[in-house]
Amino acid sequence: MKKREVQASVKDERLVQRRRDQMIKGAVSLFKEKGFHRTTTREIAKAAGFSIGTLYEYIRTKEDVLYLVCDSIYDHVSERLQQDLENKQATLASLKLGIANYFRVIDEMQEEILVMYQEAKSLTKDALPYVLKKENEMAAMFEELITLCVENGELNLTDKQTKILSHTIIVEGQMWSFRRWALQKLYTLDEYIELQTELLFTGISGMSQVRKERVHD
Protein backbone atom coordinates (compact mmCIF):
# COMPACT_ATOMS: atom_id res chain seq x y z
CA MET A 1 0.00 0.00 0.00
CA LYS A 2 1.37 3.38 -1.04
CA LYS A 3 2.37 5.80 1.70
CA ARG A 4 -0.34 8.42 2.21
CA GLU A 5 0.90 11.83 1.12
CA VAL A 6 0.39 14.78 3.46
CA GLN A 7 0.58 17.89 1.32
CA ALA A 8 2.75 20.86 2.28
CA SER A 9 3.26 24.18 0.53
CA VAL A 10 6.88 24.36 1.72
CA LYS A 11 9.35 22.64 -0.62
CA ASP A 12 12.31 22.24 1.73
CA GLU A 13 11.93 18.60 2.83
CA ARG A 14 14.23 18.93 5.85
CA LEU A 15 12.28 21.94 7.09
CA VAL A 16 9.00 20.11 6.51
CA GLN A 17 10.24 17.15 8.57
CA ARG A 18 11.49 19.41 11.37
CA ARG A 19 8.22 21.34 11.58
CA ARG A 20 6.18 18.16 11.49
CA ASP A 21 8.27 16.66 14.29
CA GLN A 22 7.44 19.77 16.33
CA MET A 23 3.74 19.32 15.53
CA ILE A 24 3.80 15.67 16.52
CA LYS A 25 5.42 16.46 19.87
CA GLY A 26 2.93 19.23 20.62
CA ALA A 27 -0.10 17.29 19.39
CA VAL A 28 0.65 14.12 21.37
CA SER A 29 0.44 15.85 24.75
CA LEU A 30 -2.78 17.62 23.70
CA PHE A 31 -4.43 14.49 22.28
CA LYS A 32 -3.56 12.58 25.44
CA GLU A 33 -4.90 15.31 27.72
CA LYS A 34 -8.00 16.42 25.78
CA GLY A 35 -8.57 13.80 23.12
CA PHE A 36 -8.36 14.28 19.38
CA HIS A 37 -11.79 15.83 18.83
CA ARG A 38 -11.50 18.41 21.62
CA THR A 39 -8.08 19.59 20.47
CA THR A 40 -7.99 22.44 17.95
CA THR A 41 -5.39 23.07 15.26
CA ARG A 42 -4.72 26.45 16.88
CA GLU A 43 -3.77 24.66 20.11
CA ILE A 44 -1.51 22.29 18.17
CA ALA A 45 0.23 25.24 16.51
CA LYS A 46 0.76 26.94 19.86
CA ALA A 47 2.13 23.78 21.44
CA ALA A 48 4.46 23.32 18.47
CA GLY A 49 5.75 26.86 18.86
CA PHE A 50 4.44 28.56 15.74
CA SER A 51 1.36 30.32 14.33
CA ILE A 52 -1.76 28.71 12.92
CA GLY A 53 -0.79 30.12 9.53
CA THR A 54 2.57 28.39 9.66
CA LEU A 55 0.87 25.15 10.71
CA TYR A 56 -1.18 25.08 7.52
CA GLU A 57 1.98 25.39 5.43
CA TYR A 58 2.85 21.84 6.49
CA ILE A 59 -0.52 20.09 6.80
CA ARG A 60 -4.07 20.54 5.50
CA THR A 61 -6.25 19.09 8.28
CA LYS A 62 -6.09 18.07 11.93
CA GLU A 63 -6.43 14.46 10.78
CA ASP A 64 -3.11 14.89 8.97
CA VAL A 65 -1.43 15.49 12.33
CA LEU A 66 -2.88 12.30 13.82
CA TYR A 67 -1.77 10.37 10.75
CA LEU A 68 1.75 11.79 11.10
CA VAL A 69 1.83 10.69 14.76
CA CYS A 70 0.92 7.13 13.76
CA ASP A 71 3.28 7.01 10.80
CA SER A 72 6.26 8.31 12.78
CA ILE A 73 5.92 5.40 15.22
CA TYR A 74 6.13 2.81 12.48
CA ASP A 75 8.98 4.60 10.74
CA HIS A 76 11.07 4.55 13.94
CA VAL A 77 10.29 0.91 14.69
CA SER A 78 10.90 -0.21 11.10
CA GLU A 79 14.22 1.61 10.97
CA ARG A 80 15.49 -0.21 14.06
CA LEU A 81 14.23 -3.63 12.96
CA GLN A 82 15.50 -3.23 9.41
CA GLN A 83 19.03 -2.87 10.74
CA ASP A 84 18.69 -6.29 12.35
CA LEU A 85 17.24 -7.80 9.19
CA GLU A 86 20.01 -6.41 7.00
CA ASN A 87 22.59 -8.22 9.14
CA LYS A 88 20.69 -11.47 8.54
CA GLN A 89 22.76 -13.26 11.13
CA ALA A 90 19.86 -15.63 11.79
CA THR A 91 20.92 -16.28 15.37
CA LEU A 92 19.01 -16.26 18.62
CA ALA A 93 21.28 -13.42 19.72
CA SER A 94 20.20 -11.29 16.76
CA LEU A 95 16.53 -12.07 17.48
CA LYS A 96 16.99 -11.05 21.12
CA LEU A 97 18.66 -7.85 19.99
CA GLY A 98 15.75 -7.13 17.65
CA ILE A 99 13.28 -7.62 20.50
CA ALA A 100 15.31 -5.35 22.80
CA ASN A 101 15.57 -2.64 20.11
CA TYR A 102 11.81 -2.80 19.54
CA PHE A 103 11.04 -2.51 23.26
CA ARG A 104 13.36 0.49 23.52
CA VAL A 105 11.57 2.27 20.67
CA ILE A 106 8.28 1.62 22.46
CA ASP A 107 9.77 3.20 25.59
CA GLU A 108 10.98 6.23 23.64
CA MET A 109 7.60 6.72 21.95
CA GLN A 110 5.21 5.53 24.64
CA GLU A 111 3.18 8.75 24.64
CA GLU A 112 2.73 8.56 20.86
CA ILE A 113 1.72 4.90 21.07
CA LEU A 114 -0.93 5.59 23.69
CA VAL A 115 -2.38 8.37 21.55
CA MET A 116 -2.29 6.25 18.42
CA TYR A 117 -4.35 3.45 19.91
CA GLN A 118 -6.73 5.77 21.69
CA GLU A 119 -7.41 7.93 18.64
CA ALA A 120 -6.84 5.64 15.63
CA LYS A 121 -10.61 5.47 15.16
CA SER A 122 -10.48 9.16 14.19
CA LEU A 123 -8.22 8.54 11.21
CA THR A 124 -9.72 9.11 7.77
CA LYS A 125 -10.93 6.16 5.70
CA ASP A 126 -7.86 6.29 3.49
CA ALA A 127 -5.41 6.62 6.39
CA LEU A 128 -6.71 3.88 8.73
CA PRO A 129 -6.04 0.92 6.37
CA TYR A 130 -2.51 2.22 5.84
CA VAL A 131 -1.85 2.40 9.59
CA LEU A 132 -3.28 -1.09 10.17
CA LYS A 133 -1.12 -2.44 7.35
CA LYS A 134 1.95 -0.89 8.97
CA GLU A 135 1.06 -2.71 12.21
CA ASN A 136 1.07 -6.01 10.33
CA GLU A 137 4.35 -5.08 8.67
CA MET A 138 6.00 -4.72 12.08
CA ALA A 139 4.91 -8.24 12.99
CA ALA A 140 6.09 -9.45 9.58
CA MET A 141 9.58 -8.09 10.25
CA PHE A 142 9.80 -10.19 13.41
CA GLU A 143 8.36 -13.13 11.51
CA GLU A 144 11.21 -12.78 9.02
CA LEU A 145 13.80 -12.69 11.80
CA ILE A 146 12.30 -15.82 13.40
CA THR A 147 12.04 -17.58 10.03
CA LEU A 148 15.72 -16.93 9.36
CA CYS A 149 16.52 -18.58 12.70
CA VAL A 150 14.37 -21.58 11.73
CA GLU A 151 16.07 -21.89 8.34
CA ASN A 152 19.47 -21.69 10.01
CA GLY A 153 18.56 -24.46 12.46
CA GLU A 154 18.53 -22.16 15.48
CA LEU A 155 14.83 -22.76 16.10
CA ASN A 156 12.40 -25.56 15.39
CA LEU A 157 8.99 -23.95 14.82
CA THR A 158 6.06 -24.36 12.46
CA ASP A 159 4.81 -21.51 10.29
CA LYS A 160 1.84 -20.98 12.61
CA GLN A 161 4.07 -20.92 15.68
CA THR A 162 6.33 -18.38 13.96
CA LYS A 163 3.40 -16.12 13.13
CA ILE A 164 1.88 -16.18 16.62
CA LEU A 165 5.30 -15.54 18.17
CA SER A 166 5.84 -12.47 15.98
CA HIS A 167 2.50 -10.98 17.06
CA THR A 168 3.21 -11.86 20.70
CA ILE A 169 6.44 -9.85 20.57
CA ILE A 170 4.54 -6.82 19.19
CA VAL A 171 1.93 -6.97 21.96
CA GLU A 172 4.44 -7.48 24.77
CA GLY A 173 6.37 -4.45 23.61
CA GLN A 174 3.22 -2.33 23.49
CA MET A 175 2.27 -3.53 26.97
CA TRP A 176 5.18 -1.49 28.35
CA SER A 177 3.27 1.58 27.19
CA PHE A 178 -0.32 0.48 27.88
CA ARG A 179 0.31 -0.76 31.41
CA ARG A 180 3.13 1.54 32.38
CA TRP A 181 1.10 2.81 35.36
CA ALA A 182 1.79 -0.60 36.93
CA LEU A 183 4.82 -2.07 35.16
CA GLN A 184 7.11 0.94 35.44
CA LYS A 185 6.66 0.97 39.21
CA LEU A 186 7.90 -2.63 39.35
CA TYR A 187 10.65 -2.84 36.72
CA THR A 188 13.24 -0.77 34.96
CA LEU A 189 13.17 -0.99 31.15
CA ASP A 190 16.20 -3.28 31.17
CA GLU A 191 14.54 -5.58 33.71
CA TYR A 192 11.35 -5.66 31.66
CA ILE A 193 13.27 -6.53 28.47
CA GLU A 194 15.20 -9.27 30.25
CA LEU A 195 12.13 -10.83 31.87
CA GLN A 196 9.94 -10.71 28.76
CA THR A 197 12.72 -12.07 26.56
CA GLU A 198 13.32 -14.88 29.04
CA LEU A 199 9.62 -15.75 29.05
CA LEU A 200 9.44 -15.58 25.26
CA PHE A 201 12.38 -17.91 24.81
CA THR A 202 11.06 -20.30 27.44
CA GLY A 203 7.88 -20.44 25.37
CA ILE A 204 9.89 -20.98 22.19
CA SER A 205 11.71 -23.89 23.79
CA GLY A 206 8.37 -25.40 24.77
CA MET A 207 6.93 -25.01 21.28
CA SER A 208 10.04 -26.57 19.75
CA GLN A 209 9.81 -29.54 22.13
CA VAL A 210 6.14 -30.10 21.34
CA ARG A 211 6.92 -30.10 17.63
CA LYS A 212 9.73 -32.63 18.10
CA GLU A 213 7.44 -34.94 20.08
CA ARG A 214 4.76 -34.73 17.39
CA VAL A 215 7.28 -35.58 14.68
CA HIS A 216 8.52 -38.62 16.60
CA ASP A 217 4.96 -39.80 17.29
Side-chain angles (χ1 to χ4, degrees), residues 72-89:
S72 69
I73 295 169
Y74 296 121
D75 283 347
H76 279 79
V77 172
S78 296
E79 182 180 345
R80 293 281 185 94
L81 292 181
Q82 198 59 47
Q83 291 172 1
D84 297 314
L85 283 171
E86 286 172 0
N87 292 331
K88 293 197 173 182
Q89 296 176 5

Side-chain angles (χ1 to χ4, degrees), residues 20-35:
R20 285 179 174 174
D21 287 344
Q22 289 175 271
M23 280 183 223
I24 289 169
K25 186 175 180 180
V28 163
S29 59
L30 288 167
F31 291 164
K32 185 185 173 205
E33 177 187 352
K34 302 179 64 174

Side-chain angles (χ1 to χ4, degrees), residues 7 10-11 19 25 28-29 35 44 58 69-70 98 102 114 120 123 133 138 149 169 172 179 184 190 196 203:
Q7 293 185 349
V10 176
K11 302 304 180 186
R19 292 299 194 199
K25 186 175 180 180
V28 163
S29 59
I44 294 171
Y58 300 95
V69 170
C70 297
Y102 167 64
L114 282 172
L123 287 165
K133 182 175 182 292
M138 281 201 306
C149 289
I169 292 168
E172 290 187 352
R179 292 190 59 80
Q184 293 181 28
D190 287 341
Q196 287 289 23

Side-chain angles (χ1 to χ4, degrees), residues 72 113 122 125:
S72 69
I113 288 166
S122 299
K125 290 182 179 179

